[in-house]
Amino acid sequence: AHGGKFYILTADGSKIRSARQFEEYLNEHSELWRTTENKSELSIVLYSCNTGRLKGLFLNIAQKIAKRLKVKVYAPSETLLPNPDCPGCFVVQRTWKKRGRTVTRKISKNLGFWTEFSKRTHKRIPRSAQAFKIDDMKIILQRSESSPK
């Protein structure tokens, strides 16, 4: 899914701009979310560029979701790109515009990172080129026991 610091663009083209909207989306589209009684057993991985970016005083969309839903949320600080060394995996990369062209750092010089958000805190995932497996859903719910370390 495409995204930014304050929104997630869904597959049908609508923008999720709040944690309440995200919760409504999960209730409508995720059987796992609807059928799990103890939601704190779940974690959410946002495969949506820049949704974990930390900048300024305002909460990003990942922080808002973690706070409202009381689950761990993993989100990238920068652009997501496919990892050629791991089919189905993505890495976080920094991209920027230079003279009208998009410039991307090579994977070996990874400048982006995944961040884990919880209700009150956040922490950067320390591994460089951290990779999370992706399936056909762009927003992945998984049991906390299997959360990436």
Side-chain angles (χ1 to χ4, degrees), residues 20-36:
R20 181 190 53 76
Q21 287 177 318
F22 187 82
E23 185 175 24
E24 289 170 1
Y25 183 86
L26 288 180
N27 285 326
E28 187 176 329
H29 293 91
S30 174
E31 183 178 346
L32 178 59
W33 181 260
R34 285 190 308 273
T35 59
T36 301

Side-chain angles (χ1 to χ4, degrees), residues 39-82:
K39 306 281 195 256
S40 65
E41 293 178 354
L42 299 174
S43 59
I44 297 171
V45 180
L46 298 177
Y47 285 93
S48 187
C49 298
N50 303 303
T51 51
R53 180 171 281 185
L54 295 166
K55 199 171 189 179
L57 300 174
F58 299 103
L59 296 180
N60 62 39
I61 189 70
Q63 290 170 301
K64 291 176 184 177
I65 292 168
K67 186 175 180 178
R68 179 178 175 95
L69 303 183
K70 299 173 181 67
V71 297
K72 287 184 181 175
V73 176
Y74 296 88
S77 66
E78 304 290 339
T79 303
L80 285 175
L81 296 174

